[in-house]
Amino acid sequence: MDVAGNYSQRANYTFYAPWKPGIAPIFGDTDGDRIPDIVTPDAAGNLRTLSGNNDPARAITATAASAPRNGVNDTTTSWADYQITHRGTLNEAGALDQLIVHNTGDASLKKHLYLIDNDGTGRYDQYTKIPLTRQKSTGCAVVPSSGLACPADRPFAIDWSQVTQVIALGTPDGELTQNFPATPTEPAQTKIISQTSLLTVEGGRLWLHDASELKWNEVNSPALLIPTAPGTGSWDDYDLINPGPANGVTKTPGLTDAWQATLWARNRTTGDVFAYPITRTADGKSDFSALTKPNGGRLIDTGDGLTAAANPRIGAADFNGDGFADLWAINTSSAITVFSGGTATATPGKVDGFTGLSVMGDATTSASLRSNQVPWQCVDAAGGPRAGAEISVYTWGQTKQHEPQMRVGLLSRRAGGPNPEPSAI
């Protein structure tokens, strides 16, 4: 009821309290709502955090001007010029994800790989950007079942300028959290104690950069090449995806069970998605043998039209909390589609395919309204957030309508797959 005594229709509002000490953190969560997030730049170059419970007022989590730049005279570089990845932290006491970012165009900025720290509330423009040290390379990762030897020819640049892709993979040995007792200055807390590793693509090859065990917020030395088997293609033809432990639990006699990270990769031309599990040797070392053949992954998605041309941004996270990683894609119209992961073998956590899709909204809007009663509809500001923006209602399978002060669109299916985009009016 307003001050004039007028009643409005009752509506439910979903909200969350920020991260509470003692509550187990969620890998992929950046803002403390215990739901994984998509962190991506908008059309203005600001950094946005998108999730099912995102407060529209907090959608912008770093301004465009806060992106790493070439000194005070650089006024144009923004987050839109960076590849952005996150899963866990490079330290052993985190509760919310850090970001790893790499410039995609500027020759000077490309030499650096930056760690962007979380301020504890999901903001990424409060602390100094940390350039990660480029370590030397002296060997290869463990790949015993591949039959491959570590090649003598391992070109490795002195800086990060040759990196074409980077992902925060998660922890190859297994992701872990731990309860910490209260101290005189902090309450009891549950924190992430396993450190994320990074995977980079350089010259079509995969390089593993583990987190340093001696210095927080740094990568370990040496960097390790994951050799590629001859005749199996190049990683330049795939987009790396970090779903976390999406192959179920690893059980090794005499060793503690481990939820090891898995690599997914999207074939940029066909849109098919493949899984490459990281396993473990009998003596407990992480085995990267499945990552030695780009074209040898286990097919987990096909026919959905998820090509790089149609869907430039792609990633994974367990949005619904069912223990299975989901696949998300953002198409050229900024529509976000989520494909729910599932298993055909009743193996907890192992994703064999995807059972359905849902519309998460528009990556450029400041708010995306979705109904619990009508889950196939969403409401967004047409063309992105701005003063005077029209409101668009996107839905499945209904004809276009037109109402005063409201622009109603249609979510149509792309040729070759169901990824939605708003139609023209």
Side-chain angles (χ1 to χ4, degrees):
M1 184 176 67
D2 63 18
V3 293
N6 299 309
Y7 285 90
S8 63
Q9 182 181 6
R10 179 178 176 179
N12 295 323
Y13 173 63
T14 300
F15 67 95
Y16 67 91
W19 177 78
K20 176 184 176 182
I23 300 297
I26 299 295
F27 291 87
D29 181 19
T30 67
D31 57 12
D33 64 357
R34 304 192 73 249
I35 297 175
D37 300 301
I38 298 172
V39 180
T40 187
D42 63 16
N46 300 308
L47 201 60
R48 288 187 174 272
T49 295
L50 311 173
S51 71
N53 281 347
N54 202 9
D55 182 343
R58 298 180 64 250
I60 294 179
T61 50
T63 61
S66 68
R69 288 180 168 179
N70 274 320
V72 295
N73 293 325
D74 182 357
T75 60
T76 59
T77 300
S78 73
W79 294 107
D81 300 305
Y82 282 86
Q83 184 181 16
I84 300 160
T85 181
H86 67 97
R87 185 174 180 85
T89 69
L90 284 176
N91 58 48
E92 294 181 340
L96 300 174
D97 280 10
Q98 299 170 324
L99 302 183
I100 303 295
V101 304
H102 186 250
N103 192 280
T104 58
D106 185 276
S108 179
L109 289 172
K110 283 182 68 175
K111 296 178 181 179
H112 305 287
L113 185 66
Y114 290 97
L115 181 146
I116 313 297
D117 220 343
N118 194 314
D119 75 342
T121 70
R123 296 290 307 192
Y124 289 104
D125 53 6
Q126 303 300 303
Y127 297 127
T128 301
K129 287 73 178 171
I130 303 173
L132 297 177
T133 303
R134 177 70 167 183
Q135 304 291 355
K136 295 181 179 180
S137 172
T138 58
C140 291
V142 176
V143 291
S145 60
S146 70
L148 296 176
C150 189
D153 180 23
R154 300 189 301 273
F156 192 69
I158 61 173
D159 55 34
W160 301 96
S161 59
Q162 300 307 304
V163 171
T164 54
Q165 291 188 64
V166 57
I167 60 165
L169 176 66
T171 310
D173 294 339
E175 296 182 342
L176 296 170
T177 61
Q178 179 177 319
N179 297 324
F180 287 81
T183 69
T185 58
E186 291 186 343
Q189 300 182 52
T190 303
K191 297 182 179 181
I192 297 170
I193 62 168
S194 56
Q195 299 165 276
T196 190
S197 294
L198 308 180
L199 276 182
T200 60
V201 177
E202 305 179 38
R205 292 173 158 184
L206 274 185
W207 289 89
L208 174 69
H209 309 266
D210 287 325
S212 173
E213 296 179 356
L214 302 176
K215 183 179 179 181
W216 280 9
N217 295 333
E218 193 56 271
V219 291
N220 199 22
S221 180
L224 299 174
L225 174 69
I226 300 176
T228 299
T232 61
S234 167
W235 287 106
D236 282 337
D237 299 325
Y238 296 81
D239 287 321
L240 307 186
I241 304 171
N242 54 347
N247 197 53
V249 66
T250 302
K251 295 180 178 292
T252 306
L255 300 175
T256 303
D257 292 352
W259 290 92
Q260 295 182 270
T262 301
L263 174 67
W264 289 352
R266 183 262 303 269
N267 184 296
R268 294 178 56 82
T269 302
T270 67
D272 293 344
V273 179
F274 301 87
Y276 307 81
I278 298 170
T279 57
R280 191 162 58 179
T281 62
D283 59 356
K285 295 179 181 178
S286 293
D287 184 351
F288 295 88
S289 296
L291 282 62
T292 60
K293 298 179 180 180
N295 67 1
R298 176 169 51 88
L299 181 65
I300 57 174
D301 186 75
T302 188
D304 282 323
L306 296 177
T307 63
N311 300 271
R313 289 171 281 181
I314 193 167
D318 182 10
F319 290 113
N320 57 13
D322 65 355
F324 297 94
D326 308 314
L327 183 70
W328 60 262
I330 302 177
N331 69 11
T332 53
S333 297
S334 297
I336 310 169
T337 306
V338 177
F339 300 80
S340 299
T343 180
T345 60
T347 304
K350 183 179 181 180
V351 176
D352 298 312
F354 300 92
T355 58
L357 60 88
S358 60
V359 182
M360 189 170 173
D362 190 306
T364 62
T365 58
S366 58
S368 179
L369 307 180
R370 291 170 292 138
S371 168
N372 287 331
Q373 308 301 320
V374 191
W376 55 87
Q377 289 184 332
C378 65
V379 179
D380 285 317
R386 67 192 188 283
E390 295 177 311
I391 298 299
S392 296
V393 178
Y394 302 102
T395 188
W396 291 101
Q398 294 187 9
T399 58
K400 292 177 283 186
Q401 304 174 38
H402 207 94
E403 299 179 15
Q405 306 301 316
M406 182 171 287
R407 179 175 182 265
V408 182
L410 170 69
L411 273 179
S412 59
R413 293 174 182 263
R414 281 188 174 276
N419 200 29
E421 63 175 359
S423 66
I425 292 297

